[in-house]
Amino acid sequence: MARNKVKLAWIVNDATRRATLKKRRKGLIKKVRELSILCGVEACVVVYTPHENQPVAWPSLQEAVQMMTRFKSMPEIERSRKMVNQEAFLHQRIAKLLEQLRRQQRENREIEMTWLTWEGFHGRSYDDLDVEDASALAWSVETKLKDVNDRREELLKRLAMAPPPPPMPVVPTAAVTGMMPLPMERINTVNQGLAAEGSQRPNWLMDIMSPWSEEGQMYVDPMSSWPDSLFP
């Protein structure tokens, strides 16, 4: 079950205020002790109350006094280098939030200009833009074009600096096919046979393409005009 959020205000009831003081003081000392053990740092707690004669100190009053004495003996610059009061903390917090707001506004503006550019590619007219939006759009387009050109130049430099590919080794024909190459005499004989058959190719090729006779009635067997050399 979630705990109710405590209202940070002065407790009017005296008994409730004292009980809250004891409870919160005990929790504070516990947290400081855990911080000292986990992080290995020297820390002390001194709590003064109007209803008690002696302050409550941790780890002890004597150790707390020694620790404060060493702190006061440090130079002023070292002692106040990382110290922040309430006013300085609020100023730092406000400056940080303002920087986050400006960064978010800049990102939103870039998204808006990107959307306008996309709409322009699809036929949107920019006649209704004011001077501020038109200037922002022009700056956005120029920036993106510059990024594209820079990327292109970088890729061209990489391609220019890349070493050329190694030449492919020449593999003999016998090694590629696993067969012995034909002698030149055999190659010439085959070429002559192909040339002789090529002179007869138009006749039987036309027969295949037009198997009907000139009268248009009788079917002509195209295989009857094929050369006998095709059928060993």
Side-chain angles (χ1 to χ4, degrees), residues 196-197 200-201 204-205 222-232:
E197 293 179 2
Q200 302 177 5
R201 185 173 303 168
W204 56 267
L205 181 60
M223 296 182 62
S224 60
S225 60
W226 288 9
D228 295 337
S229 59
L230 294 179
F231 304 95

Side-chain angles (χ1 to χ4, degrees), residues 6-21:
V6 179
K7 183 180 180 180
L8 296 179
W10 186 72
I11 301 175
V12 179
N13 188 277
D14 186 67
T16 305
R17 186 170 62 253
R18 291 186 181 185
T20 303
L21 173 62

Side-chain angles (χ1 to χ4, degrees), residues 17-33:
R17 186 170 62 253
R18 291 186 181 185
T20 303
L21 173 62
K22 292 181 180 180
K23 180 180 178 181
R24 294 301 180 98
R25 182 174 60 189
K26 183 179 179 181
L28 176 62
I29 293 175
K30 179 181 178 182
K31 291 296 183 182
V32 174
R33 180 174 61 83

Side-chain angles (χ1 to χ4, degrees), residues 176-191:
V176 175
T177 61
M179 301 173 58
M180 294 299 294
L182 295 174
M184 292 301 299
E185 295 80 1
R186 179 59 176 168
I187 296 176
N188 294 333
T189 304
V190 173
N191 291 337

Side-chain angles (χ1 to χ4, degrees), residues 1 5 16-17 23 28 37-38 42 47 50-51 53 66 97 110 119 132 135 165 173 179-181 190 195 203 212 220:
M1 183 175 179
K5 187 176 181 180
T16 305
R17 186 170 62 253
K23 180 180 178 181
L28 176 62
I37 295 173
L38 294 174
E42 293 184 276
V47 181
H51 308 290
N53 296 329
Q66 293 176 358
L97 292 176
E110 292 177 358
E119 287 186 337
E132 183 179 359
S135 301
T173 306
M179 301 173 58
M180 294 299 294
V190 173
N203 296 331
W212 295 91
V220 179

